[in-house]
Amino acid sequence: MIIAATWESGGLGQAGREVLGAAVRLGAALGDDVAFAALGMAAVDAAAEAGGCGAARAFALEGDYAASGAEGAIASLAELARELEARAVLLAADEQGGEIGPRLAERLSGTAVTHATSVEVADGRLLWTRPVFGGKAFAAVTAHVEPVVATLRRGAFSSAEAMGGAAAVETRQVPVTDGAVELIGSEEPQSGVALEDAAVIVAGGGGLGSGEAFAELEELAGLLGGAVGASLVAVDSGWAAPERQVGLTGKVVSPDLYFAIGISGASQHLAGIGGAKAVVAVNTDPDAPIFNTAKLGVVMDWKKFVPVLIEELRRAAP
Amino acid sequence: MHAVVLLKQILDWELPPRKFRIDQETKRPPDGLAPALLGPFEQNALELAIQLKETGVVERVTALLAGPPGAADALRKALAVRCDDAVHIVVEAPDLHDPSQTAELLLAAIRRLEPPELVLAGRQAGDWDHGQVGHLVAERLRWPVLGLVWQVERIDGRLLAWRSGVYGSEQFAVRLPAVMTVTSHSSLRLRMGNVMDLMAANRKPITTWTPEELGLGPEELAAAGRLELADVWVPEVERHCELIEAEDPAEAVAALLDRLEELKLLKRPA
Ligand SMILES: Cc1cc2nc3c(=O)[nH]c(=O)nc-3n(C[C@H](O)[C@H](O)[C@H](O)COP(=O)(O)OP(=O)(O)OC[C@H]3O[C@@H](n4cnc5c(N)ncnc54)[C@H](O)[C@@H]3O)c2cc1C
C-alpha cells in the first residue's frame, strides 16, 4: 500500500492532488494500491474526492490535529501506516510536512526523504531524486529500510486526474496526545491571493534596503493583480513577513510572471521559482546570477525603475 | 538549565551555480571549491541560544558540532559569542550524508554531557538540505520537538515558542526537556563577538571526541545508516536572458511592457 496524506483546509487542493498523483503512479509501478488520508477540517470532502482520483481507500482523520503541533498527525498516520503495511507515505513538503516526515519515518523504523522531486522504480527499489546544495545539484537516494516517508516538492509531480469510481470514506479520530506541545495561538491566514496560486508575483530582496521599499512592491503587485514575495535576506531583515519567503525554505511558486527586484538569484531562491513561466529581473549588477534565469532583464537601480513602472501601470489602468 | 546548540559548517551557500561542481569519485564538491561557513540557520540557532542565556531562560550553553577538523572555526565563533563550552566530534572526510547517522553521533555526544533540557538545531543544513537531524534527535531521546522556531520565552515550567507556520506565525507551549529547530528571523541575526571575546575564545579549550570514542566506529555507524547516496549531479541550466537596453527608466519601462505584451505575459488595459 502507498499512502498519500494532506492537511489542506479547503478540501482536495493542488498540494493534495500532486501528492495523490505521485502515489497513484508509484502504486501502478509497484503493483500496490493507494490509500488517501486527509487531516483536518475538510478531511471528509478531500477524502471523498480522492476516491474518484485513483485512491482505493480514503480516510478522513478527524479532529484538531494542529493543537498538538504535528504530534496528532504523526500518531494517526503512524497507526494507519502500520495497519495498511505501507511501503511509502507521501506528504507535501510544506511547513507541516517538514514537521511530520522525519518523525513519522522514525516511528515506523523507516526513513524520510525530504523535498523529493521524482521517484522511479529501479530493480524493485525506489530511487528518489532530491535537490541538494541549495538546488545547485541533485542527488539520487535509495533507502535501506521501509517505509519511506517522502515529502514532495510542490510543482514537481503532476496532479491526480479524476478517473471516476469512488471509495467509501472511512473516518478515524486523531488520537488525543499527551500535550507536550500545545497550540496557544496563531495568526489568521492572510486574505488575498496565496503566493502559490498567484499569477503574478513581485518579489524583493536584499537590494531593496528597507521595509518602506516593500510598500512600493505592494502597490506594484496590486496594479498587476499579483502578490508580493521576498528573498530570505529581505525576510531576515524584517522587511517582509516569513510567509512571503520564496525558495528552498520558503514557498515554491509557479506564476506566469515573476518580478525579481534586487534579488541576486542564489540557487536557494531559484529553487522556489523553477515553475515560473517567465522571470523579469531588475538588478544593478549585470553579473548577478538572476540574469542566468531571467527571460527579461533590466540592469538598473530599482529606485529609478519601479516608480516609473507603477506610474505607467496606473496611467494605463481604467 | 543547560542548552545544547547543534552546529554545522557548510560550503559557502551563495557560491554561484555556474561555479559549483561535484567530484564523481566522492559524490561531493571537490576540496577547496569554496570556503566552509557556519550555516545561516545554525547562526540563528546559536543567536537564539545566546539570547536565552541573556534572558535567564538557560544558564549554560554548549555548542556541539560534528564535522572535519577545520570546522572547529565554527566552535571558536560560538565561544566568541559566549557559549560556555564547545564540543567537536571530529568526522574525517567524506562528510556524512545520512541524517540518521549524523543524529546518532550527536546523540552519543549529548548523552555524555551534563543532561540538557533544551537542544536547539538549525532547521536545515544547506549542504544536503535534509532538514531532519533535529527531529531525529528528538525522536530518539523521546522528547517533544517543535520546528521553525524564532522566539522563546519561559512560562511556568514550560517554554513558549513562536514558530513560522503554513499561514503565518504560531505560538506553542512546549514541555521540557525539548528539541527545537530554528528558522531565520530579523531578531536572530548572529551578533559579532568583540575583540576581547574573540581572543578569549582562542584560549578556551574545545573538547574533541572521535566517533570511535563515542562508541560509533565504522561498523556501528553503518548499522545506523538508512539512506544511501546513489548519485549526485549538477543539472545543466543554460538560459538566455534578453536584456532591455534603455538609457532612462521611462524608456526601459516602455520597452519592458512592450516585450511582456508581445510575449503574451501581460495585457495592458486598453
Ligand atoms: C539552507 C538554506 C536555505 C535557504 N533558503 C532560501 C530561500 O528559501 N529563499 C531565499 O531567497 N534564500 C534562501 N537562502 C539564502 C540564499 O542563499 C541567499 O542568501 C539569498 O537568497 C540572498 O537574497 P538576496 O538575493 O535578496 O540578497 P543579496 O544577496 O543581498 O542580493 C541583493 C541583490 O540586489 C542587487 N541590488 C542592490 N541594490 C540594488 C538596487 N538599488 N537596485 C537593484 N538591485 C540592487 C544586488 O546587485 C544583489 O544582486 C537559503 C540559504 C540556505 C543555506
Side-chain angles (χ1 to χ4, degrees), chain A residues 203-218 228-242 244-245 261-263 302, chain B residues 185-187 189:
Chain A
L208 261 71
S210 73
E212 291 80 65
F214 267 82
E216 290 193 46
L217 296 198
E218 288 285 356
V228 170
S231 74
L232 179 78
V233 166
V235 170
D236 236 6
S237 306
W239 306 333
R244 294 278 132 201
Q245 186 184 317
I261 301 181
I263 292 179
W302 73 268
Chain B
H185 193 268
S186 53
S187 63
R189 305 178 94 180

PDB file of all heavy atoms in Angstrom, chain A residues 203-218 228-242 244-245 261-263 302, chain B residues 185-187 189:
ATOM      1  N   ALA A 203       8.576  40.155  -6.322  1.00  0.00           N
ATOM      2  CA  ALA A 203       9.390  39.765  -5.179  1.00  0.00           C
ATOM      3  C   ALA A 203      10.576  40.704  -5.008  1.00  0.00           C
ATOM      4  O   ALA A 203      11.172  41.149  -5.990  1.00  0.00           O
ATOM      5  CB  ALA A 203       9.882  38.334  -5.341  1.00  0.00           C
ATOM      6  N   GLY A 204      10.893  40.998  -3.771  1.00  0.00           N
ATOM      7  CA  GLY A 204      12.003  41.889  -3.461  1.00  0.00           C
ATOM      8  C   GLY A 204      13.043  41.200  -2.608  1.00  0.00           C
ATOM      9  O   GLY A 204      12.743  40.272  -1.859  1.00  0.00           O
ATOM     10  N   GLY A 205      14.285  41.667  -2.720  1.00  0.00           N
ATOM     11  CA  GLY A 205      15.372  41.063  -1.967  1.00  0.00           C
ATOM     12  C   GLY A 205      16.228  42.073  -1.238  1.00  0.00           C
ATOM     13  O   GLY A 205      15.794  43.206  -0.965  1.00  0.00           O
ATOM     14  N   GLY A 206      17.450  41.664  -0.956  1.00  0.00           N
ATOM     15  CA  GLY A 206      18.383  42.482  -0.196  1.00  0.00           C
ATOM     16  C   GLY A 206      18.630  43.850  -0.808  1.00  0.00           C
ATOM     17  O   GLY A 206      18.934  44.805  -0.095  1.00  0.00           O
ATOM     18  N   GLY A 207      18.480  43.943  -2.121  1.00  0.00           N
ATOM     19  CA  GLY A 207      18.719  45.213  -2.798  1.00  0.00           C
ATOM     20  C   GLY A 207      17.676  46.279  -2.495  1.00  0.00           C
ATOM     21  O   GLY A 207      17.882  47.447  -2.805  1.00  0.00           O
ATOM     22  N   LEU A 208      16.568  45.902  -1.878  1.00  0.00           N
ATOM     23  CA  LEU A 208      15.527  46.897  -1.608  1.00  0.00           C
ATOM     24  C   LEU A 208      15.915  47.842  -0.476  1.00  0.00           C
ATOM     25  O   LEU A 208      15.526  49.004  -0.469  1.00  0.00           O
ATOM     26  CB  LEU A 208      14.179  46.224  -1.335  1.00  0.00           C
ATOM     27  CG  LEU A 208      13.323  46.238  -2.595  1.00  0.00           C
ATOM     28  CD1 LEU A 208      13.893  45.267  -3.603  1.00  0.00           C
ATOM     29  CD2 LEU A 208      11.885  45.922  -2.306  1.00  0.00           C
ATOM     30  N   GLY A 209      16.611  47.306   0.501  1.00  0.00           N
ATOM     31  CA  GLY A 209      17.193  48.177   1.512  1.00  0.00           C
ATOM     32  C   GLY A 209      16.299  48.629   2.644  1.00  0.00           C
ATOM     33  O   GLY A 209      16.795  49.171   3.627  1.00  0.00           O
ATOM     34  N   SER A 210      14.989  48.428   2.562  1.00  0.00           N
ATOM     35  CA  SER A 210      14.135  48.875   3.670  1.00  0.00           C
ATOM     36  C   SER A 210      12.744  48.255   3.578  1.00  0.00           C
ATOM     37  O   SER A 210      12.326  47.761   2.524  1.00  0.00           O
ATOM     38  CB  SER A 210      13.974  50.392   3.641  1.00  0.00           C
ATOM     39  OG  SER A 210      13.122  50.767   2.571  1.00  0.00           O
ATOM     40  N   GLY A 211      12.029  48.337   4.693  1.00  0.00           N
ATOM     41  CA  GLY A 211      10.649  47.867   4.720  1.00  0.00           C
ATOM     42  C   GLY A 211       9.744  48.774   3.906  1.00  0.00           C
ATOM     43  O   GLY A 211       8.773  48.310   3.301  1.00  0.00           O
ATOM     44  N   GLU A 212      10.065  50.071   3.884  1.00  0.00           N
ATOM     45  CA  GLU A 212       9.235  51.020   3.112  1.00  0.00           C
ATOM     46  C   GLU A 212       9.251  50.650   1.634  1.00  0.00           C
ATOM     47  O   GLU A 212       8.256  50.804   0.933  1.00  0.00           O
ATOM     48  CB  GLU A 212       9.735  52.465   3.255  1.00  0.00           C
ATOM     49  CG  GLU A 212       9.554  53.093   4.624  1.00  0.00           C
ATOM     50  CD  GLU A 212      10.630  52.641   5.601  1.00  0.00           C
ATOM     51  OE1 GLU A 212      11.804  52.968   5.373  1.00  0.00           O
ATOM     52  OE2 GLU A 212      10.282  51.947   6.577  1.00  0.00           O
ATOM     53  N   ALA A 213      10.414  50.173   1.181  1.00  0.00           N
ATOM     54  CA  ALA A 213      10.509  49.794  -0.225  1.00  0.00           C
ATOM     55  C   ALA A 213       9.481  48.715  -0.556  1.00  0.00           C
ATOM     56  O   ALA A 213       8.954  48.673  -1.667  1.00  0.00           O
ATOM     57  CB  ALA A 213      11.915  49.299  -0.534  1.00  0.00           C
ATOM     58  N   PHE A 214       9.196  47.840   0.422  1.00  0.00           N
ATOM     59  CA  PHE A 214       8.219  46.785   0.164  1.00  0.00           C
ATOM     60  C   PHE A 214       6.820  47.344  -0.042  1.00  0.00           C
ATOM     61  O   PHE A 214       5.988  46.725  -0.716  1.00  0.00           O
ATOM     62  CB  PHE A 214       8.258  45.717   1.265  1.00  0.00           C
ATOM     63  CG  PHE A 214       9.167  44.586   0.903  1.00  0.00           C
ATOM     64  CD1 PHE A 214      10.534  44.690   1.108  1.00  0.00           C
ATOM     65  CD2 PHE A 214       8.680  43.437   0.292  1.00  0.00           C
ATOM     66  CE1 PHE A 214      11.392  43.676   0.728  1.00  0.00           C
ATOM     67  CE2 PHE A 214       9.520  42.410  -0.092  1.00  0.00           C
ATOM     68  CZ  PHE A 214      10.880  42.529   0.125  1.00  0.00           C
ATOM     69  N   ALA A 215       6.541  48.530   0.545  1.00  0.00           N
ATOM     70  CA  ALA A 215       5.239  49.149   0.312  1.00  0.00           C
ATOM     71  C   ALA A 215       5.088  49.471  -1.174  1.00  0.00           C
ATOM     72  O   ALA A 215       3.996  49.359  -1.745  1.00  0.00           O
ATOM     73  CB  ALA A 215       5.107  50.411   1.163  1.00  0.00           C
ATOM     74  N   GLU A 216       6.191  49.862  -1.824  1.00  0.00           N
ATOM     75  CA  GLU A 216       6.134  50.135  -3.269  1.00  0.00           C
ATOM     76  C   GLU A 216       5.857  48.854  -4.039  1.00  0.00           C
ATOM     77  O   GLU A 216       5.118  48.855  -5.027  1.00  0.00           O
ATOM     78  CB  GLU A 216       7.441  50.771  -3.747  1.00  0.00           C
ATOM     79  CG  GLU A 216       7.598  52.187  -3.214  1.00  0.00           C
ATOM     80  CD  GLU A 216       8.705  52.947  -3.927  1.00  0.00           C
ATOM     81  OE1 GLU A 216       8.762  52.896  -5.169  1.00  0.00           O
ATOM     82  OE2 GLU A 216       9.512  53.567  -3.213  1.00  0.00           O
ATOM     83  N   LEU A 217       6.475  47.746  -3.582  1.00  0.00           N
ATOM     84  CA  LEU A 217       6.213  46.471  -4.255  1.00  0.00           C
ATOM     85  C   LEU A 217       4.754  46.055  -4.090  1.00  0.00           C
ATOM     86  O   LEU A 217       4.145  45.510  -5.005  1.00  0.00           O
ATOM     87  CB  LEU A 217       7.133  45.367  -3.722  1.00  0.00           C
ATOM     88  CG  LEU A 217       8.632  45.520  -3.949  1.00  0.00           C
ATOM     89  CD1 LEU A 217       9.318  44.173  -3.777  1.00  0.00           C
ATOM     90  CD2 LEU A 217       8.957  46.104  -5.313  1.00  0.00           C
ATOM     91  N   GLU A 218       4.194  46.342  -2.901  1.00  0.00           N
ATOM     92  CA  GLU A 218       2.771  46.052  -2.658  1.00  0.00           C
ATOM     93  C   GLU A 218       1.923  46.773  -3.698  1.00  0.00           C
ATOM     94  O   GLU A 218       0.984  46.218  -4.265  1.00  0.00           O
ATOM     95  CB  GLU A 218       2.327  46.538  -1.263  1.00  0.00           C
ATOM     96  CG  GLU A 218       2.846  45.728  -0.092  1.00  0.00           C
ATOM     97  CD  GLU A 218       2.146  44.389   0.088  1.00  0.00           C
ATOM     98  OE1 GLU A 218       1.181  44.096  -0.648  1.00  0.00           O
ATOM     99  OE2 GLU A 218       2.603  43.618   0.958  1.00  0.00           O
ATOM    100  N   VAL A 228       2.970  39.763  -3.280  1.00  0.00           N
ATOM    101  CA  VAL A 228       4.354  40.134  -3.003  1.00  0.00           C
ATOM    102  C   VAL A 228       5.113  38.947  -2.425  1.00  0.00           C
ATOM    103  O   VAL A 228       4.628  38.257  -1.529  1.00  0.00           O
ATOM    104  CB  VAL A 228       4.420  41.328  -2.028  1.00  0.00           C
ATOM    105  CG1 VAL A 228       5.843  41.564  -1.542  1.00  0.00           C
ATOM    106  CG2 VAL A 228       3.892  42.581  -2.720  1.00  0.00           C
ATOM    107  N   GLY A 229       6.308  38.706  -2.959  1.00  0.00           N
ATOM    108  CA  GLY A 229       7.187  37.666  -2.437  1.00  0.00           C
ATOM    109  C   GLY A 229       8.477  38.307  -1.947  1.00  0.00           C
ATOM    110  O   GLY A 229       8.696  39.507  -2.133  1.00  0.00           O
ATOM    111  N   ALA A 230       9.335  37.506  -1.323  1.00  0.00           N
ATOM    112  CA  ALA A 230      10.571  38.060  -0.774  1.00  0.00           C
ATOM    113  C   ALA A 230      11.661  37.002  -0.742  1.00  0.00           C
ATOM    114  O   ALA A 230      11.374  35.806  -0.752  1.00  0.00           O
ATOM    115  CB  ALA A 230      10.323  38.579   0.639  1.00  0.00           C
ATOM    116  N   SER A 231      12.910  37.464  -0.716  1.00  0.00           N
ATOM    117  CA  SER A 231      14.025  36.544  -0.513  1.00  0.00           C
ATOM    118  C   SER A 231      14.271  36.379   0.979  1.00  0.00           C
ATOM    119  O   SER A 231      13.726  37.118   1.800  1.00  0.00           O
ATOM    120  CB  SER A 231      15.295  37.087  -1.173  1.00  0.00           C
ATOM    121  OG  SER A 231      15.806  38.152  -0.392  1.00  0.00           O
ATOM    122  N   LEU A 232      15.103  35.416   1.310  1.00  0.00           N
ATOM    123  CA  LEU A 232      15.437  35.185   2.718  1.00  0.00           C
ATOM    124  C   LEU A 232      16.082  36.426   3.336  1.00  0.00           C
ATOM    125  O   LEU A 232      15.801  36.772   4.483  1.00  0.00           O
ATOM    126  CB  LEU A 232      16.387  33.995   2.841  1.00  0.00           C
ATOM    127  CG  LEU A 232      16.823  33.660   4.262  1.00  0.00           C
ATOM    128  CD1 LEU A 232      15.735  32.914   5.004  1.00  0.00           C
ATOM    129  CD2 LEU A 232      18.078  32.817   4.265  1.00  0.00           C
ATOM    130  N   VAL A 233      16.934  37.093   2.578  1.00  0.00           N
ATOM    131  CA  VAL A 233      17.600  38.280   3.116  1.00  0.00           C
ATOM    132  C   VAL A 233      16.567  39.353   3.469  1.00  0.00           C
ATOM    133  O   VAL A 233      16.653  39.999   4.518  1.00  0.00           O
ATOM    134  CB  VAL A 233      18.651  38.817   2.116  1.00  0.00           C
ATOM    135  CG1 VAL A 233      19.107  40.218   2.492  1.00  0.00           C
ATOM    136  CG2 VAL A 233      19.853  37.882   2.068  1.00  0.00           C
ATOM    137  N   ALA A 234      15.556  39.532   2.626  1.00  0.00           N
ATOM    138  CA  ALA A 234      14.524  40.532   2.905  1.00  0.00           C
ATOM    139  C   ALA A 234      13.703  40.152   4.135  1.00  0.00           C
ATOM    140  O   ALA A 234      13.339  41.008   4.945  1.00  0.00           O
ATOM    141  CB  ALA A 234      13.617  40.703   1.689  1.00  0.00           C
ATOM    142  N   VAL A 235      13.433  38.859   4.292  1.00  0.00           N
ATOM    143  CA  VAL A 235      12.676  38.395   5.459  1.00  0.00           C
ATOM    144  C   VAL A 235      13.532  38.543   6.717  1.00  0.00           C
ATOM    145  O   VAL A 235      13.081  39.035   7.751  1.00  0.00           O
ATOM    146  CB  VAL A 235      12.225  36.929   5.270  1.00  0.00           C
ATOM    147  CG1 VAL A 235      11.659  36.354   6.558  1.00  0.00           C
ATOM    148  CG2 VAL A 235      11.205  36.838   4.145  1.00  0.00           C
ATOM    149  N   ASP A 236      14.782  38.136   6.597  1.00  0.00           N
ATOM    150  CA  ASP A 236      15.738  38.222   7.693  1.00  0.00           C
ATOM    151  C   ASP A 236      15.926  39.648   8.174  1.00  0.00           C
ATOM    152  O   ASP A 236      16.206  39.897   9.336  1.00  0.00           O
ATOM    153  CB  ASP A 236      17.090  37.732   7.167  1.00  0.00           C
ATOM    154  CG  ASP A 236      17.631  36.611   7.991  1.00  0.00           C
ATOM    155  OD1 ASP A 236      16.904  36.147   8.884  1.00  0.00           O
ATOM    156  OD2 ASP A 236      18.770  36.214   7.735  1.00  0.00           O
ATOM    157  N   SER A 237      15.806  40.589   7.259  1.00  0.00           N
ATOM    158  CA  SER A 237      15.983  41.993   7.611  1.00  0.00           C
ATOM    159  C   SER A 237      14.716  42.579   8.224  1.00  0.00           C
ATOM    160  O   SER A 237      14.705  43.733   8.631  1.00  0.00           O
ATOM    161  CB  SER A 237      16.359  42.804   6.365  1.00  0.00           C
ATOM    162  OG  SER A 237      17.478  42.228   5.728  1.00  0.00           O
ATOM    163  N   GLY A 238      13.644  41.787   8.241  1.00  0.00           N
ATOM    164  CA  GLY A 238      12.402  42.259   8.831  1.00  0.00           C
ATOM    165  C   GLY A 238      11.578  43.114   7.881  1.00  0.00           C
ATOM    166  O   GLY A 238      10.629  43.769   8.296  1.00  0.00           O
ATOM    167  N   TRP A 239      11.912  43.110   6.592  1.00  0.00           N
ATOM    168  CA  TRP A 239      11.168  43.946   5.630  1.00  0.00           C
ATOM    169  C   TRP A 239       9.921  43.242   5.119  1.00  0.00           C
ATOM    170  O   TRP A 239       9.008  43.869   4.611  1.00  0.00           O
ATOM    171  CB  TRP A 239      12.043  44.298   4.407  1.00  0.00           C
ATOM    172  CG  TRP A 239      13.346  44.918   4.766  1.00  0.00           C
ATOM    173  CD1 TRP A 239      13.624  45.643   5.892  1.00  0.00           C
ATOM    174  CD2 TRP A 239      14.557  44.876   4.003  1.00  0.00           C
ATOM    175  NE1 TRP A 239      14.941  46.035   5.882  1.00  0.00           N
ATOM    176  CE2 TRP A 239      15.526  45.583   4.730  1.00  0.00           C
ATOM    177  CE3 TRP A 239      14.898  44.306   2.776  1.00  0.00           C
ATOM    178  CZ2 TRP A 239      16.834  45.749   4.268  1.00  0.00           C
ATOM    179  CZ3 TRP A 239      16.189  44.463   2.307  1.00  0.00           C
ATOM    180  CH2 TRP A 239      17.150  45.181   3.063  1.00  0.00           C
ATOM    181  N   ALA A 240       9.912  41.922   5.179  1.00  0.00           N
ATOM    182  CA  ALA A 240       8.760  41.160   4.691  1.00  0.00           C
ATOM    183  C   ALA A 240       8.487  40.023   5.663  1.00  0.00           C
ATOM    184  O   ALA A 240       9.396  39.558   6.354  1.00  0.00           O
ATOM    185  CB  ALA A 240       9.053  40.600   3.293  1.00  0.00           C
ATOM    186  N   ALA A 241       7.219  39.603   5.731  1.00  0.00           N
ATOM    187  CA  ALA A 241       6.833  38.541   6.669  1.00  0.00           C
ATOM    188  C   ALA A 241       7.373  37.190   6.184  1.00  0.00           C
ATOM    189  O   ALA A 241       7.484  36.968   4.984  1.00  0.00           O
ATOM    190  CB  ALA A 241       5.315  38.476   6.783  1.00  0.00           C
ATOM    191  N   PRO A 242       7.709  36.291   7.132  1.00  0.00           N
ATOM    192  CA  PRO A 242       8.297  35.000   6.762  1.00  0.00           C
ATOM    193  C   PRO A 242       7.454  34.211   5.752  1.00  0.00           C
ATOM    194  O   PRO A 242       8.006  33.520   4.899  1.00  0.00           O
ATOM    195  CB  PRO A 242       8.380  34.251   8.093  1.00  0.00           C
ATOM    196  CG  PRO A 242       8.435  35.307   9.130  1.00  0.00           C
ATOM    197  CD  PRO A 242       7.637  36.468   8.593  1.00  0.00           C
ATOM    198  N   ARG A 244       6.038  35.191   3.308  1.00  0.00           N
ATOM    199  CA  ARG A 244       6.232  35.752   1.960  1.00  0.00           C
ATOM    200  C   ARG A 244       7.473  35.182   1.286  1.00  0.00           C
ATOM    201  O   ARG A 244       7.745  35.453   0.115  1.00  0.00           O
ATOM    202  CB  ARG A 244       6.394  37.284   2.047  1.00  0.00           C
ATOM    203  CG  ARG A 244       5.171  38.012   2.522  1.00  0.00           C
ATOM    204  CD  ARG A 244       4.215  38.220   1.372  1.00  0.00           C
ATOM    205  NE  ARG A 244       2.885  37.822   1.753  1.00  0.00           N
ATOM    206  CZ  ARG A 244       1.927  37.505   0.904  1.00  0.00           C
ATOM    207  NH1 ARG A 244       2.164  37.501  -0.385  1.00  0.00           N
ATOM    208  NH2 ARG A 244       0.757  37.146   1.323  1.00  0.00           N
ATOM    209  N   GLN A 245       8.284  34.467   2.052  1.00  0.00           N
ATOM    210  CA  GLN A 245       9.561  33.999   1.510  1.00  0.00           C
ATOM    211  C   GLN A 245       9.384  32.944   0.424  1.00  0.00           C
ATOM    212  O   GLN A 245       8.615  32.005   0.567  1.00  0.00           O
ATOM    213  CB  GLN A 245      10.424  33.415   2.621  1.00  0.00           C
ATOM    214  CG  GLN A 245      11.837  33.047   2.148  1.00  0.00           C
ATOM    215  CD  GLN A 245      12.637  32.393   3.248  1.00  0.00           C
ATOM    216  OE1 GLN A 245      12.593  32.835   4.394  1.00  0.00           O
ATOM    217  NE2 GLN A 245      13.354  31.344   2.924  1.00  0.00           N
ATOM    218  N   ILE A 261      13.196  41.633  -7.918  1.00  0.00           N
ATOM    219  CA  ILE A 261      13.699  43.000  -7.809  1.00  0.00           C
ATOM    220  C   ILE A 261      14.723  43.096  -6.686  1.00  0.00           C
ATOM    221  O   ILE A 261      14.408  42.833  -5.518  1.00  0.00           O
ATOM    222  CB  ILE A 261      12.518  43.970  -7.587  1.00  0.00           C
ATOM    223  CG1 ILE A 261      11.556  43.821  -8.776  1.00  0.00           C
ATOM    224  CG2 ILE A 261      13.007  45.405  -7.429  1.00  0.00           C
ATOM    225  CD1 ILE A 261      10.357  44.708  -8.747  1.00  0.00           C
ATOM    226  N   GLY A 262      15.953  43.410  -7.045  1.00  0.00           N
ATOM    227  CA  GLY A 262      17.011  43.478  -6.035  1.00  0.00           C
ATOM    228  C   GLY A 262      17.276  42.123  -5.406  1.00  0.00           C
ATOM    229  O   GLY A 262      17.601  42.028  -4.227  1.00  0.00           O
ATOM    230  N   ILE A 263      17.135  41.080  -6.208  1.00  0.00           N
ATOM    231  CA  ILE A 263      17.392  39.706  -5.753  1.00  0.00           C
ATOM    232  C   ILE A 263      18.563  39.159  -6.568  1.00  0.00           C
ATOM    233  O   ILE A 263      18.540  39.210  -7.796  1.00  0.00           O
ATOM    234  CB  ILE A 263      16.134  38.822  -5.942  1.00  0.00           C
ATOM    235  CG1 ILE A 263      15.036  39.276  -4.972  1.00  0.00           C
ATOM    236  CG2 ILE A 263      16.466  37.345  -5.754  1.00  0.00           C
ATOM    237  CD1 ILE A 263      13.736  38.500  -5.084  1.00  0.00           C
ATOM    238  N   TRP A 302      16.495  49.793  -8.863  1.00  0.00           N
ATOM    239  CA  TRP A 302      15.027  49.640  -8.760  1.00  0.00           C
ATOM    240  C   TRP A 302      14.371  50.960  -8.360  1.00  0.00           C
ATOM    241  O   TRP A 302      13.223  51.217  -8.718  1.00  0.00           O
ATOM    242  CB  TRP A 302      14.655  48.539  -7.764  1.00  0.00           C
ATOM    243  CG  TRP A 302      14.875  48.934  -6.323  1.00  0.00           C
ATOM    244  CD1 TRP A 302      15.990  48.726  -5.592  1.00  0.00           C
ATOM    245  CD2 TRP A 302      13.968  49.641  -5.489  1.00  0.00           C
ATOM    246  NE1 TRP A 302      15.851  49.255  -4.342  1.00  0.00           N
ATOM    247  CE2 TRP A 302      14.614  49.821  -4.246  1.00  0.00           C
ATOM    248  CE3 TRP A 302      12.671  50.142  -5.660  1.00  0.00           C
ATOM    249  CZ2 TRP A 302      14.008  50.497  -3.181  1.00  0.00           C
ATOM    250  CZ3 TRP A 302      12.064  50.811  -4.597  1.00  0.00           C
ATOM    251  CH2 TRP A 302      12.734  50.980  -3.368  1.00  0.00           C
TER     252      TRP A 302
ATOM    253  N   HIS B 185      15.034  34.852  11.300  1.00  0.00           N
ATOM    254  CA  HIS B 185      14.161  35.938  11.729  1.00  0.00           C
ATOM    255  C   HIS B 185      15.027  37.159  11.935  1.00  0.00           C
ATOM    256  O   HIS B 185      16.203  37.035  12.283  1.00  0.00           O
ATOM    257  CB  HIS B 185      13.447  35.552  13.027  1.00  0.00           C
ATOM    258  CG  HIS B 185      12.317  36.471  13.366  1.00  0.00           C
ATOM    259  ND1 HIS B 185      12.486  37.563  14.171  1.00  0.00           N
ATOM    260  CD2 HIS B 185      11.022  36.466  12.977  1.00  0.00           C
ATOM    261  CE1 HIS B 185      11.322  38.200  14.274  1.00  0.00           C
ATOM    262  NE2 HIS B 185      10.424  37.547  13.553  1.00  0.00           N
ATOM    263  N   SER B 186      14.402  38.335  11.758  1.00  0.00           N
ATOM    264  CA  SER B 186      15.194  39.562  11.907  1.00  0.00           C
ATOM    265  C   SER B 186      15.794  39.690  13.305  1.00  0.00           C
ATOM    266  O   SER B 186      16.823  40.329  13.484  1.00  0.00           O
ATOM    267  CB  SER B 186      14.340  40.780  11.569  1.00  0.00           C
ATOM    268  OG  SER B 186      13.152  40.749  12.317  1.00  0.00           O
ATOM    269  N   SER B 187      15.178  39.047  14.296  1.00  0.00           N
ATOM    270  CA  SER B 187      15.709  39.143  15.662  1.00  0.00           C
ATOM    271  C   SER B 187      16.817  38.130  15.914  1.00  0.00           C
ATOM    272  O   SER B 187      17.392  38.105  16.998  1.00  0.00           O
ATOM    273  CB  SER B 187      14.576  38.912  16.659  1.00  0.00           C
ATOM    274  OG  SER B 187      14.075  37.598  16.506  1.00  0.00           O
ATOM    275  N   ARG B 189      19.680  37.516  13.878  1.00  0.00           N
ATOM    276  CA  ARG B 189      20.919  37.637  13.103  1.00  0.00           C
ATOM    277  C   ARG B 189      22.077  37.542  14.083  1.00  0.00           C
ATOM    278  O   ARG B 189      22.111  38.242  15.087  1.00  0.00           O
ATOM    279  CB  ARG B 189      20.933  38.965  12.364  1.00  0.00           C
ATOM    280  CG  ARG B 189      19.686  39.104  11.518  1.00  0.00           C
ATOM    281  CD  ARG B 189      19.640  40.417  10.821  1.00  0.00           C
ATOM    282  NE  ARG B 189      20.208  40.281   9.489  1.00  0.00           N
ATOM    283  CZ  ARG B 189      20.293  41.284   8.641  1.00  0.00           C
ATOM    284  NH1 ARG B 189      19.912  42.495   8.980  1.00  0.00           N
ATOM    285  NH2 ARG B 189      20.785  41.094   7.443  1.00  0.00           N
TER     286      ARG B 189
END
